[in-house]
Amino acid sequence: MSSKKKQDQVLIFDTTLRDGEQCPGASMGLQEKLQVARALARLNVDIIEAGFPIASPGDFAAVQEIARTIKGPRIAGLARCVDRDIEAAGEAVAPAGKRGRIHVFLATSAIHRQFKLRKAKEEIIKAAVAGVKKAKTYVEDVQFSPEDASRTELDFLAEVVEAVIDAGATTVNIPDTVGYAVPEEFGRCIRYLKENVPNIDQAVIHVHCHNDLGLAVANSLEAVRNGARGVECTMNGIGERAGNCSLEEFVMALRTRKDAFGDLYTKVETKEIFRTSRLVSQLTGLHVQRNKAIVGANAFAHESGIHQDGMLKERTTYEIMNPEDVGILSGTELVLGKHSGRHAFREHMHDLGFKLTGEKLEGAYNAFIDLADKKKQVYDDDLVAIVQQHIMEKPPGTFVLNYLHVSTGNVTVPTATVRLEKEGVISEDAACGDGPVDATLKTIDRITQVPGTLVDFALQSITTGKDAQGEVTVTVRFDDHGLVTGKASSTDIVEAAAKAYLNCINRYIAGKTANEEHPLP
Ligand code: KIV
Ligand code: ZN
């Protein structure tokens, strides 16, 4: 029998698809966003912030599609306190029905009032109230965020919060927008609002902490200790600048240190954490550092002899969490080999969250057999890469690598011949370069004619052994778009580089196409 009380539940508001996607280079296409949203639903988060509908037609379409297809969590769309933003958000979340939420925000700190908005305090309150009222005409569930709340005068912050609750806000979210707060002070801010806003009981307090000083999780924990009951976070802590509060760290801290946080709990299905983390990394192209808490490759690795000895004697000497609780299944990470049949493959893909049937199942299975021929052991990361590279629908205009031949050596001028397919048409070219990768990327540039500048190139091995897949992550700057990151893996690192680079070009093209195809309402 569970003794959990509703008032102790901390709601998890996941903003991977909105603030997380604002991370430079992390942009995702519609299919990728849907895949992440499905994973977040399996993780059992309470609210998914699916995007900022007015930001671009592609964002609008993604929020609308997520609202239409994802069952379970509430679906939120972000809007400034501006009529057309709220109209777009209202229309985008409408398919979620009663689960639709509009999240309106307006900055309240002196520095933002003076330099960004050039508005007096009274004007801020007026605009915030008008924004909430307008949002209320679309949905019952309205959230208001006083942007840069942690640098706002406490008495004014309390005034704004009271006014927006009076106007109908059911959630007030207190952002530490620039990651400036320190835990004790941030906790005091939440307590102050609890004690000084007369109608505070009519709304849930959320917090939204950025990680500029590495304190986002600590600040969020202190906030819930002081009365907040919603935490806004992202998978792997991705987000603007240094990122947001990391979902996995917050959830596991609350769960592991029950002694410190009393009866507070979340409803997150923690066994889904690891898989979701890897999926987000794969789809955004943002690598998870090895020593990242909870989900990094080293999080549960014990290298030193003393630690290993302690672990063998008693696991809890050096391990405060059970890796299985976050979905790291020791010994079972090896998943499939070339003798695995279609049925095992389909079941495993289903467990990973991909429901494949018919032609898609056949295509993915063939790609898997090809890979299993090249390397004995195929891991979950390999399978996610297969789906991304072979199965996810590609918007028109995207390029697929059809053929690659590279000639290189210490006395040979590196030369690449590349064949790309776009909408059934094959184009071929060749070029020389400073090395095999350079020659390949130059050839791709000649064929695609998409002007981008390579700003970062990283190679790492994602699986173990001599037949390991090399994973290449590249970041490309496009003049009219900013940074785009692409990732691909192969047992051949030049092929991985070519695919990662094409992945960037395709993401760039997909972003442009989505915006052209889905004009804003
Ligand atoms: O960091 C921030 O203040 C935000 C708001 C829109 C909530 O992301
Ligand atoms: Zn933010």
Side-chain angles (χ1 to χ4, degrees):
M1 200 189 76
S2 161
S3 58
K4 289 182 173 160
K5 299 196 190 87
K6 191 85 192 138
Q7 71 262 29
D8 294 328
Q9 185 187 349
V10 178
L11 298 172
I12 294 296
F13 177 109
D14 182 280
T15 184
T16 305
L17 292 170
R18 200 276 299 169
D19 222 331
E21 215 231 358
Q22 281 172 225
C23 189
S27 64
M28 287 177 270
L30 178 62
Q31 293 302 321
E32 287 145 339
K33 287 184 182 175
L34 274 170
Q35 193 62 43
V36 171
R38 275 189 233 103
L40 293 172
R42 280 199 308 274
L43 194 60
N44 207 24
V45 304
D46 299 283
I47 305 116
I48 295 175
E49 185 162 52
F52 190 0
I54 199 72
S56 72
D59 245 53
F60 178 89
V63 177
Q64 195 172 47
E65 193 57 13
I66 289 170
R68 197 177 67 75
T69 55
I70 302 296
K71 306 291 171 230
R74 293 180 170 274
I75 308 297
L78 184 68
R80 292 167 297 184
C81 286
V82 169
D83 281 356
R84 63 195 172 88
D85 279 37
I86 298 169
E87 284 154 17
E91 200 167 320
V93 301
K98 285 196 172 2
R99 288 182 299 111
R101 170 179 295 195
I102 299 180
H103 174 191
V104 281
F105 74 101
L106 182 64
T108 51
S109 64
I111 195 164
H112 279 240
R113 293 194 311 263
Q114 188 184 345
F115 296 107
K116 187 177 89 174
L117 301 171
R118 295 179 200 283
K119 277 192 188 341
K121 286 179 173 173
E122 308 74 59
E123 293 172 282
I124 296 285
I125 296 194
K126 207 168 148 204
V129 165
V132 169
K133 286 193 171 155
K134 168 105 184 166
K136 266 317 227 199
T137 64
Y138 290 90
V139 285
E140 187 44 45
D141 185 356
V142 173
Q143 164 169 337
F144 178 79
S145 291
E147 191 189 7
D148 205 18
S150 56
R151 294 194 298 170
T152 301
E153 307 88 319
L154 276 180
D155 56 345
F156 179 56
L157 184 61
E159 239 184 282
V160 175
V161 168
E162 183 179 351
V164 294
I165 295 176
D166 263 347
T170 42
T171 298
V172 280
N173 172 44
I174 307 302
D176 180 24
T177 302
V178 289
Y180 181 75
V182 293
E184 204 257 322
E185 163 197 71
F186 196 57
R188 240 185 300 123
C189 168
I190 303 303
R191 175 108 343 251
Y192 179 90
L193 296 175
K194 288 281 295 176
E195 289 170 357
N196 291 281
V197 175
N199 55 2
I200 197 73
D201 291 344
Q202 291 165 38
V204 181
I205 303 181
H206 279 206
V207 289
H208 174 111
C209 298
H210 278 271
N211 207 28
D212 301 64
L213 293 173
L215 293 171
V217 174
N219 285 334
S220 305
L221 288 167
E222 201 52 30
V224 296
R225 205 203 285 283
N226 282 279
R229 285 296 175 270
V231 164
E232 307 206 351
C233 43
T234 59
M235 208 59 225
N236 301 335
I238 64 172
E240 280 270 359
R241 307 181 309 280
N244 289 59
C245 171
S246 136
L247 181 149
E248 63 278 11
E249 291 175 24
F250 176 81
V251 167
M252 290 313 287
L254 211 59
R255 181 183 153 127
T256 308
R257 293 302 308 272
K258 288 199 171 70
D259 56 328
F261 297 102
D263 294 328
L264 296 180
Y265 68 97
T266 74
K267 286 199 169 162
V268 165
E269 194 56 71
T270 61
K271 287 192 161 56
E272 292 288 333
I273 283 179
F274 186 69
R275 181 199 294 187
T276 312
S277 158
R278 287 299 176 270
L279 184 78
V280 168
S281 167
Q282 185 70 35
L283 298 184
T284 56
L286 296 176
H287 183 63
V288 177
Q289 79 207 45
R290 291 192 81 82
N291 62 333
K292 166 83 181 61
I294 317 292
V295 290
N298 291 355
F300 293 93
H302 300 275
E303 191 68 26
S304 91
I306 297 176
H307 286 208
Q308 287 177 354
D309 179 56
M311 286 285 293
L312 289 174
K313 288 177 177 146
E314 166 55 41
R315 189 185 62 77
T316 54
T317 50
Y318 285 103
E319 218 163 66
I320 59 165
M321 290 166 278
N322 197 336
E324 272 111 47
D325 288 347
V326 295
I328 301 176
L329 307 177
S330 49
T332 60
E333 57 189 353
L334 164 63
V335 290
L336 298 168
K338 69 176 176 184
H339 300 298
S340 306
R342 269 181 190 69
H343 183 70
F345 176 78
R346 194 188 61 207
E347 288 303 297
H348 196 86
M349 283 306 220
H350 187 266
D351 287 348
L352 283 176
F354 302 108
K355 286 187 191 134
L356 300 180
T357 51
E359 270 178 28
K360 285 191 176 168
L361 174 64
E362 212 43 38
Y365 183 71
N366 291 338
F368 154 69
I369 290 294
D370 276 353
L371 181 63
D373 256 349
K374 290 187 202 152
K375 67 193 294 278
K376 286 191 219 71
Q377 303 167 343
V378 179
Y379 295 84
D380 284 354
D381 277 350
D382 295 324
L383 297 177
V384 174
I386 284 177
V387 174
Q388 209 195 4
Q389 286 172 23
H390 298 268
I391 303 304
M392 279 189 177
E393 271 162 39
K394 307 222 170 11
T398 55
F399 291 93
V400 178
L401 182 68
N402 177 284
Y403 171 88
L404 169 66
H405 176 82
V406 182
S407 127
T408 190
N410 62 346
V411 289
T412 315
V413 177
T415 312
T417 307
V418 177
R419 223 179 269 149
L420 299 182
E421 185 179 333
K422 179 175 140 186
E423 290 163 10
V425 179
I426 305 253
S427 312
E428 184 175 299
D429 212 329
C432 304
D434 291 338
V437 171
D438 186 48
T440 303
L441 304 194
K442 279 196 174 123
T443 315
I444 291 177
D445 280 346
R446 287 168 69 115
I447 301 176
T448 60
Q449 296 287 313
V450 175
T453 313
L454 182 68
V455 292
D456 196 29
F457 181 98
L459 166 69
Q460 73 147 29
S461 136
I462 49 170
T463 47
T464 50
K466 285 193 184 138
D467 62 354
Q469 291 231 86
E471 180 181 84
V472 172
T473 307
V474 297
T475 305
V476 178
R477 183 186 305 285
F478 296 97
D479 285 345
D480 56 346
H481 191 90
L483 298 176
V484 177
T485 300
K487 199 159 143 172
S489 47
S490 166
T491 48
D492 173 341
I493 58 167
V494 182
E495 186 185 359
K499 285 180 171 170
Y501 191 63
L502 274 176
N503 189 223
C504 282
I505 291 173
N506 286 340
R507 278 168 189 249
Y508 166 74
I509 293 171
K512 283 181 74 154
T513 316
N515 288 346
E516 281 154 17
E517 280 181 0
H518 301 279
L520 283 167

